[in-house]
Amino acid sequence: MENIIHIENLIYEYPQEEEKEVLRAIRGISLDIERGSFTAIIGRNGSGKSTLAKLLNGLFVPTEGIIYVEKWNTADDKHIWDVRQTAGMVFQNPDNQLVSSIVEDDVAFGPENIGIAPDEIRSRVDDALEAVRMGEYKLKAPHMLSGGQKQRIAIAGVLAMKPKCIIFDEPTAMLDPRGREDILKIIKKLNDEGITTILITHFMDEAVQADRVIIMNDGEIVLDGSPMEVFSQAEKIMKVNLEVPIAVELAGRLRKRGIKIPGDVVTVEDMVNFICQYK
Ligand code: ADP
Ligand code: MG
């Protein structure tokens, strides 16, 4: 399969206050991301997820190793805007991503910055707001909106750049359950429409909806596979201080009571389907 991202032996170190010391946040990661795929990355705080995200989007340059986004090496200054435009990023706190006092200006900010023609900007802004179902809010002030709505505007701002890939760094962490659900629906819809999706999350019920789950710990990848392959390894998951998804836990407990549940029951939906056909 064709890859949109290719990472080889990646290391990233943060300089520390003591000049000679460094903190190695990424400790040798090699990884390919298939075009059009939906990958969830999970791992406890400090495992290096956000650092990896910023490396993918060219905000940071590798200390060692190499990252290609499309055909561009992210360390190549000449193509830094190609990299950032191809791999857009949505952060946890939409307030840090919103810059204007009117929603539509905010969404237009990115395309304006790269010199897109006004007509084209107009249609991109309308399409992007439509895609996140915020069209009717285009003349509103972002600070008047709910957290979930602000996050939708932040996503529209990234969409207006026509990215081929979007990296979402815990986009629902600050939202209530309703807002979370809305954002996840949008993320899945965008992926269905062909945008390569990388979702960093600490919600297992979100991770199980991806095609592929990667678990990071201490700057390394410790598990990588389909949700079923990853979440069936409960021991390894608990070892890195993560929980397993609710349906996986429930399936495990039911198995102990003698009910035969197939290993591919990982989402609540899977569990419901299993129970409904159980005789
Ligand atoms: P995660 O997103 O998984 O919580 P991060 O990528 O934010 O992890 O952090 C990985 C490691 O790098 C942590 O030990 C963190 O303290 C450190 N770190 C993150 N950002 C900085 C920074 N700007 N300067 C120095 N160290 C940092
Ligand atoms: Mg983080």
Side-chain angles (χ1 to χ4, degrees):
M1 275 293 165
E2 198 212 355
N3 298 316
I4 185 165
I5 290 171
H6 174 72
I7 303 178
E8 249 176 66
N9 305 320
L10 177 66
I11 290 175
Y12 186 80
E13 292 172 343
Y14 288 103
Q16 299 291 283
E17 285 178 13
E18 294 284 324
E19 260 181 42
K20 281 186 186 141
E21 274 184 55
V22 291
L23 185 143
R24 188 167 278 200
I26 301 290
R27 301 165 174 262
I29 285 183
S30 295
L31 173 68
D32 287 315
I33 300 287
E34 205 178 290
R35 189 182 300 279
S37 60
F38 179 4
T39 305
I41 301 182
I42 57 181
R44 65 190 162 105
N45 278 343
S47 55
K49 306 179 300 295
S50 294
T51 305
L52 179 62
K54 288 171 188 160
L55 283 155
L56 286 175
N57 159 271
L59 282 171
F60 293 166
V61 173
T63 306
E64 284 178 39
I66 198 159
I67 305 178
Y68 281 101
V69 171
E70 292 285 19
K71 58 183 184 293
W72 302 295
N73 181 334
T74 61
D76 181 353
D77 288 346
K78 287 194 299 295
H79 292 291
I80 191 64
W81 289 108
D82 292 315
V83 168
R84 293 207 183 143
Q85 211 177 315
T86 303
M89 194 152 160
V90 174
F91 297 91
Q92 183 176 103
N93 186 348
D95 287 329
N96 297 340
Q97 214 158 349
L98 302 178
V99 290
S100 304
S101 55
I102 300 173
V103 164
E104 63 174 6
D105 291 351
D106 217 287
V107 179
F109 183 80
E112 268 166 6
N113 257 333
I114 54 169
I116 304 292
D119 282 358
E120 166 76 10
I121 292 179
R122 180 77 263 156
S123 78
R124 284 192 186 196
V125 168
D126 289 345
D127 290 351
L129 283 171
E130 224 33 69
V132 298
R133 299 193 326 278
M134 287 296 285
E136 60 192 286
Y137 291 85
K138 68 179 175 188
L139 299 176
K140 297 266 191 282
H143 71 268
M144 302 296 286
L145 304 176
S146 72
Q149 290 172 327
K150 282 187 205 169
Q151 194 59 291
R152 278 146 71 184
I153 301 302
I155 294 172
V158 172
L159 284 177
M161 301 293 281
K162 300 213 175 233
K164 293 196 178 125
C165 169
I166 302 181
I167 303 145
F168 296 89
D169 191 357
E170 305 208 28
T172 64
M174 303 182 69
L175 308 181
D176 60 17
R178 175 75 210 287
R180 275 183 57 201
E181 202 177 305
D182 269 356
I183 294 297
L184 208 75
K185 268 193 203 142
I186 287 169
I187 290 173
K188 287 177 72 175
K189 187 189 78 171
L190 295 175
N191 177 247
D192 286 343
E193 289 167 1
I195 295 183
T196 306
T197 303
I198 298 177
L199 172 64
I200 297 170
T201 181
H202 65 259
F203 295 108
M204 297 303 145
D205 59 326
E206 295 181 359
V208 292
Q209 302 190 42
D211 314 323
R212 176 182 184 187
V213 176
I214 290 175
I215 298 189
M216 286 182 65
N217 188 53
D218 210 6
E220 291 175 318
I221 292 176
V222 292
L223 281 173
D224 177 0
S226 68
M228 183 190 95
E229 286 162 349
V230 167
F231 289 121
S232 56
Q233 311 208 41
E235 250 171 54
K236 273 195 187 167
I237 291 172
M238 288 184 304
K239 222 166 109 191
V240 296
N241 288 313
L242 292 175
E243 289 170 7
V244 295
I246 182 80
V248 172
E249 190 193 329
L250 202 53
R253 287 168 63 178
L254 289 167
R255 272 183 212 114
K256 278 190 192 145
R257 299 283 193 93
I259 296 177
K260 289 197 178 63
I261 301 183
D264 58 358
V265 172
V266 289
T267 67
V268 169
E269 191 64 24
D270 296 339
M271 181 59 91
V272 169
N273 290 336
F274 171 76
I275 290 172
C276 288
Q277 58 80 54
Y278 189 75
K279 291 192 193 79

